[in-house]
Amino acid sequence: MTNEKFLNIEGLCAKAGGKKVLNGIDIQIKPSEVHAIMGPNGSGKSTLAHVLMGRPGYEVTSGSISIDGVDVLSLQTWQRAQAGMFIVMQQPIEVPGVKISDLLTEVAVASELDPQESLSLLREEAANLKIDESLLDRELNVDLSGGEKKRNETLQLLVSKAKYAILDEIDSGLDVDSLALVAERINRAAKSDQLGVLAITHFNRLLDILEPDQVHVLVDGRIVETGSAELALQLEKDGYQKFLK
């Protein structure tokens, strides 16, 4: 076990539905770093997010995933969450009968955090994200708009004190104002709370605010190029044609 702290993805290969989708992914994300994954549709971006969180139906055939030196491939999804991973899903699910305040109280207990402090933080972060406090007693994501769901997911990320955030197209469904609000708060968490971020996106508008340290281009389940934030601008201008077979 190493004393170094980072999310390490090494040689990751995986199948979905019996088909090989990831073909050797190598990414290392340190606390406070923001990494972006961009690529054409069907390149394996969301598969990578699902595999990292251990979603059923995906088979890792080789490679490793570790958090702060601890292998997580053998862990179930809830155990990976306890280890410090959090995913903001592209399409957040509705959970009838469960209030967000109750959910995060249970998260606090499971994570050995003070429940009252977590509820206080919940109200504080809800205000930061301009979430009406009345929604905290609503059933999780039920009857909310797409943008409200994404802000709700961001709220859970911040209150859960995660170490590493996986943002699977968090900008999908957000209007310009909500995108700025959510991205700025996550960017601040990366800088002040040492949150490591892996942001999957199609658009540079998110990265304008998140200010990625590295941008990775994913094509056919492989990272074919890595560069600075300037690479995202290039992709928006020229597309992926030069990376395609």
Side-chain angles (χ1 to χ4, degrees):
M1 185 182 299
T2 177
N3 290 323
E4 291 187 88
K5 295 186 178 298
F6 49 81
L7 169 60
N8 193 42
I9 306 163
E10 187 171 358
L12 186 63
C13 296
K15 292 180 178 180
K19 178 183 178 182
K20 196 170 184 181
V21 181
L22 301 182
N23 296 293
I25 304 294
D26 295 292
I27 303 174
Q28 188 180 95
I29 304 173
K30 297 179 180 178
S32 294
E33 286 187 347
V34 176
H35 289 239
I37 295 279
M38 303 184 76
N41 291 331
S43 58
K45 301 185 298 300
S46 289
T47 294
L48 175 60
H50 297 323
V51 169
L52 288 174
M53 286 305 302
R55 181 173 178 174
Y58 295 84
E59 178 191 356
V60 174
T61 56
S62 62
S64 64
I65 304 168
S66 62
I67 293 178
D68 301 345
V70 178
D71 178 70
V72 300
L73 272 181
S74 61
L75 302 182
Q76 297 183 46
T77 299
W78 66 270
Q79 293 172 314
R80 298 184 194 202
Q82 282 196 330
M85 295 176 72
F86 189 102
I87 183 170
V88 177
M89 293 182 287
Q90 186 175 345
Q91 297 179 322
I93 61 171
E94 298 182 359
V95 187
V98 177
K99 298 177 182 177
I100 186 172
S101 54
D102 291 341
L103 169 67
L104 290 173
T105 296
E106 291 302 317
V107 168
V109 170
S111 303
E112 299 183 347
L113 302 172
D114 184 279
Q116 290 304 314
E117 288 183 9
S118 292
L119 286 174
S120 177
L121 180 60
L122 175 65
R123 289 188 287 269
E124 178 186 335
E125 292 294 357
N128 288 337
L129 293 167
K130 296 184 179 179
I131 295 174
D132 192 293
E133 198 164 319
S134 65
L135 293 182
L136 303 182
D137 289 322
R138 287 265 296 273
E139 295 174 307
L140 184 62
N141 290 332
V142 174
D143 295 329
L144 298 184
S145 69
E148 287 172 328
K149 289 179 180 179
K150 292 295 177 73
R151 281 189 284 162
N152 233 356
E153 293 278 296
T154 305
L155 177 63
Q156 296 169 57
L157 163 66
L158 297 169
V159 177
S160 68
K161 296 292 186 180
K163 298 176 183 178
Y164 302 98
I166 304 161
L167 313 179
D168 188 6
E169 296 192 28
I170 193 173
D171 44 353
S172 174
L174 288 177
D175 60 32
V176 173
D177 292 335
S178 293
L179 174 63
L181 193 68
V182 165
E184 285 169 1
R185 184 63 192 91
I186 293 175
N187 188 39
R188 187 150 42 96
K191 288 182 166 62
S192 62
D193 301 328
Q194 295 196 313
L195 176 69
V197 177
L198 179 65
I200 296 168
T201 184
H202 284 289
F203 304 110
N204 187 60
R205 63 189 181 190
L206 173 67
L207 304 183
D208 276 342
I209 304 170
L210 280 183
E211 302 173 347
D213 297 279
Q214 292 188 0
V215 175
H216 308 279
V217 182
L218 190 65
V219 175
D220 292 333
R222 304 178 189 276
I223 293 175
V224 295
E225 186 157 334
T226 293
S228 67
E230 295 297 319
L231 178 56
L233 291 172
Q234 176 191 331
L235 292 172
E236 191 165 80
K237 178 183 176 182
D238 300 330
Y240 300 101
Q241 194 59 44
K242 78 172 189 176
F243 302 111
L244 301 178
K245 294 179 181 178

